[in-house]
Amino acid sequence: MIRTDTHTIACIVFAAAALATGILIDDAYYLQVLIFIGINTLLALSLNMLMGYAGQISLGHAAFYGIGAYTTAILSTTYNLSPWLALPIAIFAAVTVAYIVGIPTLRLTGYYLGMGTLGFGMIVSIIFREWYSVTGGASGFVGIPPLEIGSFSFDTDQRYFFLVWGVVLFFFIICRRIVDSRVGRALRAIHDGEHAAAAVGVNTAAMKLSIFVLSAAMASLAGFLYAHQVFFISPETFSFLASIRIVTMVVIGGMASIWGSLLGASLLTLLPEWLHAFADYEMMVYGLVLMLVMIFLPQGLTRGIIDLYEKSRKNRNK
Amino acid sequence: MQEFLQYLFSGITNGAIYAVIAIGFSMLYRSTDLINFAHGEFVMIGAMTMVTLTVAVQVPVMPAFIITVVGVSILGLVFERMAIRTVRRPEPIVLIIITVGASIFLRGLGMLVWGKDSHTMPAFTAHPPLDIAGARLLAQSIWIVAIAIAVAACLHLFYKRTLTGKAMHACAINKQAAWLVGIPSKLMTLLAFGLSTGMGAVAGVIIAPITMPAYDMGSMLGLKGFCAAMLGGLGSLWGSVLGGFLLGILEALGVGFVSSGLKDATAFLLLLLVLYFRPGGLISAVKVKRF
Amino acid sequence: MASDAPLLEIDSLFKAFGGVRAIEDVTFSIQPKTITGLIGPNGAGKTTLFNLITGIFPADSGTIRLKGQPVNGKAVHDLVKMGIARTFQNVELFSSMSVLENILVGLHSRTTCGLLGSVLKTPRIRNEERMARQKASELLEFVGLSDHADRKSGNLPFGWQRLLELARALASEPDLILLDEPAAGLNMSETDMLGELIQNIRKQGVTVLLVEHDMALTMRVCDQIIVLDRGRKIAEGPPRVVQSDEAVMAAYLGKPK
């Protein structure tokens, strides 16, 4: 109960901070970086629900991100459909694929699940690259329109900033509610022991499938937001490395931590911006960070910092 | 017929390479119950080291081969010692993330050391290609298949005839019991890593002359090797060999008669099919826990 | 009591693993609101029988009925809903979750909130959550863990973990509860307490099936004892009768020549 209250306060503070940031910052570069942080936070949050809470690894999550981006790109550009009509279709596409792929894949555990999701992600990225006539192939897809509501267009960075962070806040609330509910407890129970979870009455297969589908829908929404922000997408953005980037965000921020997703996404979006010559070292840094965090701070940075703080507070009280 | 034969040759050549990579996965899994997602990067490092040694340093093929395999095996030992043994909670999800991290790290390292360009090296021997019923068979292809089969045969003897090989097998069956009868299981894990990464290096070395190696070749090869291992049965030596050849041939025929865009997708489709319907592989060596 | 329809009926059950016959032609039935002990030497097939009853794996042949309904081939979580709960030989708690949360997961099959419900938090869902928490607190009180509701379950002493697992199993409001060596790893006073607890569970109308190596406990609490040896039922009856049964003596001590 106390936790829920702190979360409400955190949400209010967070919303106020986002509002202030959006109004005060009018530098296009910073706003764009913040927009990408928002999109990545949504992605990290979606994977965290699956990997952090339910304990089901996915090394192909960028596939759903890509399905969202490509579906809206193709419908709104090639077929001139309104993006707002493309959005439900994009989410429906991701949900359908997740459902069909999820049934056999989520029966796998451990390494096999890792390889299975990886193989799925690879196939989807090969489709993006090879289905030239529809996706534009390796050179990418250009000319995606901006979002509009009537005559109001989300064509400035400031407007897009509010849209993206509004969505992120919305999902923070939704995910917190899920985590604190009967469903969230069942997911964590599956993480701790799938056998035991089934033995106390949890339909583990159905539970894993529903969180996988939700996670895919969120990633697809992130892809939608991405496509209508950059107007150009290419298969690179949704490759294996992209899936690993999302995993890295979750691992750094902390598995099973909603606010950790924000931290992880922020760090991994800002790092390349800060380190100018980062591009050449990007992979090495990701790799090293993944290994070091998993070896020394398996709970992630957020939990690690909280643990340190609580330890010091305990010491002080003594 | 000529066309078919040509595709078959290329399939068998690639298949032999997948087989060697698959053996690397299988041998490690058999001894440690672990799947090394960075395995493909060791193949890449093997290929790149071989190119550097033979082209830039001008070392003859035989010594360069040996130096590369030994060097990469040592790298594998270091990897086990530093990144795997230090893990406090050796759950699959943790080890997957660590080995994936290692794979990205090694790929980035490869890019720094060898640059982003592809490299080339001459074939092991300068024979002209053979002409068989109108299809061309490269001399290097014969080397590749011969070395792959020789390696598998050596490993077979190692597991069946030597005490160390039997000890490794014992560890695979029951670590605790093996420890009780005096087998140093930690050493066996280390050895398995060395063997497995060494296999990766062998694959890299033999593929180097025909593939124009680059820093990013590893992940695809690794995944296909894993697919081959799953196809034949993870943990089984000859299953891996069979899976490798099967995958190579199917892939080549798919490219030849269906679509070239299909090349990489074949492996992953097969992988998913095997995982879903026959997780023990065609030759069942292990039972996948699916509860 | 004899006129009641049996709660659990097991009829000529077979189960083999490869060439090993783990359960061979086992038949027995259990009356409601009784405590039945399942004993036998190691490898007699007790845990296999538990796994068959709880649906972990299917039987090769034979039937299992609960309240007259066949349960063969049903999924584990469906059986929980039908009224079968269990504990494990090596306590399997959700170790990263709190004591209270463990019980709340135990209430899973008696609550309904789904993904959508958890997001919308309708009054009905809030009410359900409140009821669940109250029920969980009552169960914690029943096993005496009320003071530790917010502790991480993985950090509890072993004896308390057993009690928590028992409370978690009771949370699903079972008709039949299967306890797999509940006294293993407990000290004498804890075992005494457990014995009382098992009696109390029965008083609440729950039928108990118990695998236990602690003979003193088994003989004290059980109404009926079933003895398995190498997959076969070799004796059945009240504790005193079974204790003096020759086949049982032979199974435990070896056949007198």
Side-chain angles (χ1 to χ4, degrees), chain B residues 6-220:
Chain B
Q6 191 66 64
Y7 289 127
L8 191 67
F9 287 161
S10 108
I12 290 175
T13 311
N14 283 334
I17 288 158
Y18 298 154
V20 179
I21 302 173
I23 291 174
F25 273 113
S26 272
M27 295 307 97
L28 185 64
Y29 184 79
R30 180 152 138 164
S31 304
T32 63
D33 266 352
L34 189 143
I35 290 169
N36 178 9
F37 281 66
H39 190 60
E41 308 316 316
F42 290 98
V43 178
M44 178 271 290
I45 293 173
M48 297 305 246
T49 311
M50 185 68 180
V51 173
T52 310
L53 285 178
T54 52
V55 178
V57 193
Q58 295 284 324
V59 181
V61 170
M62 263 314 274
F65 195 149
I66 294 167
I67 295 170
T68 305
V69 173
V70 172
V72 174
S73 300
I74 291 172
L75 188 65
L77 299 184
V78 173
F79 172 57
E80 195 277 338
R81 198 62 200 75
M82 288 179 61
I84 303 295
R85 204 181 291 178
T86 41
V87 177
R88 286 179 219 159
R89 289 186 312 164
E91 303 163 12
I93 193 164
V94 173
L95 290 169
I96 289 173
I97 294 172
I98 286 177
T99 55
V100 165
S103 127
I104 303 285
F105 174 76
L106 291 173
R107 200 191 309 176
L109 190 70
M111 191 177 86
L112 280 186
V113 174
W114 288 292
K116 288 185 180 175
D117 301 323
S118 299
H119 297 246
T120 50
M121 72 169 276
F124 290 175
T125 49
H127 278 290
L130 302 175
D131 188 311
I132 299 173
R136 270 158 38 100
L137 178 62
L138 295 175
Q140 183 67 24
S141 295
I142 299 173
W143 274 116
I144 289 174
V145 175
I147 291 173
I149 291 174
V151 158
C154 285
L155 272 179
H156 178 82
L157 290 179
F158 171 72
Y159 280 111
K160 286 273 138 66
R161 295 287 162 81
T162 69
L163 201 58
T164 318
K166 285 179 187 166
M168 283 178 79
H169 198 165
C171 267
I173 295 166
N174 189 333
K175 221 172 230 176
Q176 224 155 12
W179 181 78
L180 280 175
V181 298
I183 298 169
S185 65
K186 277 190 177 166
L187 189 69
M188 291 301 140
T189 305
L190 196 64
L191 198 61
F193 257 92
L195 252 180
S196 161
T197 51
M199 282 299 118
V202 170
V205 167
I206 58 178
I207 199 182
I210 59 162
T211 191
M212 298 215 292
Y215 78 98
D216 60 353
M217 67 190 280
S219 52
M220 202 50 106

Side-chain angles (χ1 to χ4, degrees), chain A residues 51 55-57 59 101 104-105 107-120 122-123 126 129-130 191 194-196 198 204 208 240-241 244 247 251 255 279-288 290-291 294-299, chain B residues 25 29 33-35 37 79 82-84 86-89 91-105 107-109 111-112 116 215 219-220 223 226 230 234 260-261 264-265 268-269 271-272 275-276 279 286 288-291:
Chain A
M51 197 169 95
Q56 308 298 309
I57 197 165
L59 298 177
V101 171
T105 307
R107 281 202 313 231
L108 304 168
T109 58
Y111 300 104
Y112 296 93
L113 180 64
M115 280 294 180
T117 52
L118 204 166
F120 160 71
M122 283 288 186
I123 290 174
I126 289 172
R129 206 180 59 219
E130 300 292 335
H191 191 170
E194 201 167 332
H195 244 93
T204 53
K208 288 194 287 185
F240 173 56
L241 198 62
I244 298 307
V247 172
V251 168
M255 297 222 248
D280 282 350
Y281 298 92
E282 186 188 3
M283 282 195 283
M284 282 180 73
V285 173
Y286 284 169
L288 210 55
L290 275 179
M291 285 196 283
M294 259 355 229
I295 294 171
F296 297 110
L297 275 180
Q299 303 272 34
Chain B
F25 273 113
Y29 184 79
D33 266 352
L34 189 143
I35 290 169
F37 281 66
F79 172 57
M82 288 179 61
I84 303 295
T86 41
V87 177
R88 286 179 219 159
R89 289 186 312 164
E91 303 163 12
I93 193 164
V94 173
L95 290 169
I96 289 173
I97 294 172
I98 286 177
T99 55
V100 165
S103 127
I104 303 285
F105 174 76
R107 200 191 309 176
L109 190 70
M111 191 177 86
L112 280 186
K116 288 185 180 175
Y215 78 98
S219 52
M220 202 50 106
L223 289 168
F226 177 78
M230 283 302 294
L234 194 62
S260 65
D264 295 337
F268 300 119
L269 280 174
L271 175 62
L272 292 187
L275 282 175
Y276 296 163
V286 287
V288 180
K289 275 181 272 173
R290 293 182 97 180
F291 175 75

Side-chain angles (χ1 to χ4, degrees), chain C residues 15-30:
Chain C
K15 178 73 189 179
F17 297 103
V20 184
R21 292 182 190 148
I23 292 291
E24 228 184 328
D25 197 16
V26 169
T27 301
F28 65 89
S29 63
I30 293 179

